[in-house]
């Protein structure tokens, strides 16, 4: 069940209509971790291009007009295959997490330049839809002037309090359990609003974070149809951060998916000396 994002969806609807009228369109979704980029992207893909979307993911098989390609980490190769065999359509390309298009032999920058080249050449025929983290957007803005090649950027960091409450209500409803407080009394609608507002403030409007906090705050009672709301769990980073680990964490966050082999290639000799532990 999709909830919220009314303004964002209205903006996407306008962009798609303008694209069908002949305008170029490249849409970027950005946001914090758990902000719902993938979910919104899949919803838009299914709603507007249900039979005419290709999600591009490294090391998967894509099929266009009966022809197949197993993708590598070369984004340009995948895009060239797609545009070559979709000449008679106005399709959408959905690239979720641009950060993962890299390996030790093919840097992200090369894929970014190829993607921008395809924007310039085909954005009036292909609807390009890309998501990435806020930190990656900041990096590309600094070094590649990404705002220059985009028609729109939708930021998903926050949802409204009412929308978050509705999402939590749907999540709770799916449990088919009665929600009670620590005294064993069923929580009233007014109490529910207060609890969800507390979760909303603690998560700063991040929908995924809010749902996680709600899940952590609910304790099932064994062999009953009741669940009890307890205080949310507060977690803190341990005191292990220093310049070396901060650099390592930054690299992992930027790449989103990585492995020790890639990190060794990235850091070189200092990896064994400073980071391998």
């Amino acid at each position: 069940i999709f909830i919220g994002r009314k303004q964002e969806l209205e903006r996407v609807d306008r962009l798609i209509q303008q694209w069908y009228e002949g305008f170029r369109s490249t849409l970027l979704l950005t946001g914090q971790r758990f902000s719902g980029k993938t979910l919104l992207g899949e919803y838009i893909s299914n709603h507007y291009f249900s039979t005419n979307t290709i999600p591009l993911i490294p090391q998967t098989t894509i099929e266009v007009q009966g022809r197949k390609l197993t993708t590598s980490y070369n984004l340009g190769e995948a895009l060239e295959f797609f545009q070559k065999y979709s000449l008679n359509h106005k399709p959408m390309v959905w690239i979720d997490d641009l950060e993962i298009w890299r390996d030790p032999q093919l840097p992200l920058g090369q894929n970014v330049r190829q993607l921008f080249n395809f924007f310039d050449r085909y954005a009036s025929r292909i609807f390009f839809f890309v998501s990435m983290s806020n930190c990656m957007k900041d990096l590309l803005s600094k070094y590649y002037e990404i705002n220059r090649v985009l028609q729109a950027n939708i930021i998903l960091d926050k949802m409204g309090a009412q929308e978050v409450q509705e999402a939590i209500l749907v999540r709770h409803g799916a449990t088919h359990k009665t929600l009670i407080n620590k005294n064993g009394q069923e929580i009233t609608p007014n109490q529910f609003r207060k609890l969800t507002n507390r979760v909303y403030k603690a998560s700063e409007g991040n929908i995924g974070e809010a749902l996680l906090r709600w899940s952590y705050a609910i304790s099932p009672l064994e062999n009953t149809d009741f669940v009890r709301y307890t205080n949310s769990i507060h977690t803190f980073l341990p005191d292990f951060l220093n310049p070396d680990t901060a650099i390592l964490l930054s690299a992992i966050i930027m790449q989103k998916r990585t492995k020790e082999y890639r990190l060794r290639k990235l850091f070189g000799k200092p990896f064994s000396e400073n980071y391998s532990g």
Side-chain angles (χ1 to χ4, degrees):
I1 299 176
F2 193 85
I3 292 174
R5 304 296 189 193
K6 180 180 179 181
Q7 293 181 340
E8 291 87 347
L9 289 172
E10 288 176 348
R11 187 179 180 193
V12 170
D13 187 80
R14 290 194 299 272
L15 287 169
I16 292 176
Q17 295 306 317
Q18 291 169 358
W19 177 70
Y20 277 122
E21 293 169 3
F23 292 90
R24 293 163 47 84
S25 196
T26 53
L27 174 59
L28 174 64
L29 290 183
T30 56
Q32 299 174 358
R33 179 171 173 259
F34 297 148
S35 59
K37 299 185 293 295
T38 298
L39 178 61
L40 182 61
E42 291 177 351
Y43 176 84
I44 291 170
S45 170
N46 292 327
H47 185 72
Y48 291 98
F49 299 89
S50 59
T51 61
N52 209 14
T53 297
I54 290 293
L56 292 185
I57 303 170
Q59 297 183 316
T60 60
T61 299
I62 60 176
E63 182 175 350
V64 182
Q65 298 297 305
R67 295 173 172 84
K68 294 183 180 181
L69 172 73
T70 299
T71 59
S72 62
Y73 284 93
N74 188 329
L75 181 56
E77 178 186 58
L79 290 169
E80 183 61 38
F81 173 83
F82 179 78
Q83 73 83 21
K84 180 179 179 180
Y85 296 111
S86 61
L87 295 175
N88 299 322
H89 304 274
K90 286 180 72 71
M92 183 180 96
V93 165
W94 166 225
I95 303 173
D96 191 16
D97 289 337
L98 181 63
E99 297 94 323
I100 66 177
W101 284 90
R102 69 167 94 198
D103 69 9
Q105 285 72 46
L106 189 64
L108 177 65
Q110 180 175 327
N111 279 327
V112 168
R113 289 191 292 272
Q114 291 188 88
L115 178 62
F116 289 179
N117 182 43
F118 274 83
F119 284 173
D120 291 337
R121 294 162 61 192
Y122 302 113
S124 60
R125 180 171 68 82
I126 300 173
F127 191 93
F128 289 96
F129 196 13
V130 183
S131 82
M132 67 182 69
S133 65
N134 288 343
C135 56
M136 180 56 65
K137 170 63 166 26
D138 291 341
L139 181 71
L140 296 186
S141 297
K142 181 177 181 180
Y143 294 106
Y144 295 93
E145 298 182 338
I146 189 173
N147 292 322
R148 180 180 58 83
V149 298
L150 292 170
Q151 272 65 59
N153 177 199
I154 295 179
I155 303 171
L156 302 179
D157 285 340
K158 292 186 177 181
M159 285 182 70
Q162 180 64 35
E163 294 174 330
V164 171
Q165 179 182 319
E166 291 177 6
I168 292 175
L169 183 59
V170 169
R171 174 67 61 85
H172 171 65
T175 67
H176 302 288
K177 302 285 187 178
T178 300
L179 182 63
I180 61 176
N181 59 26
K182 60 182 180 181
N183 297 321
Q185 299 171 324
E186 184 175 353
I187 287 179
T188 66
N190 186 51
Q191 291 173 329
F192 183 81
R193 282 190 295 271
K194 290 181 179 179
L195 293 176
T196 54
N197 190 55
R198 187 186 307 167
V199 171
Y200 172 78
K201 290 180 179 179
S203 63
E204 298 181 341
N206 182 307
I207 178 59
E209 183 74 21
L211 291 172
L212 279 175
R213 284 178 176 272
W214 180 263
S215 297
Y216 289 141
I218 299 299
S219 299
L221 302 181
E222 293 186 7
N223 302 319
T224 72
D225 290 327
F226 298 97
V227 291
R228 177 182 288 125
Y229 181 87
T230 59
N231 291 329
S232 298
I233 297 175
H234 298 283
T235 57
F236 303 92
L237 281 174
D239 295 328
F240 69 92
L241 290 179
N242 57 50
D244 284 339
T245 53
I247 291 172
L248 184 62
L249 283 172
S250 296
I252 293 170
I253 290 171
M254 292 296 289
Q255 295 187 41
K256 297 201 75 170
R257 301 178 189 175
T258 191
K259 57 184 68 174
E260 184 174 331
Y261 173 73
R262 292 190 183 185
L263 293 172
R264 286 184 180 276
K265 288 287 186 179
L266 178 65
F267 286 99
K269 185 178 179 181
F271 185 86
S272 297
E273 298 173 351
N274 302 324
Y275 306 116
S276 62

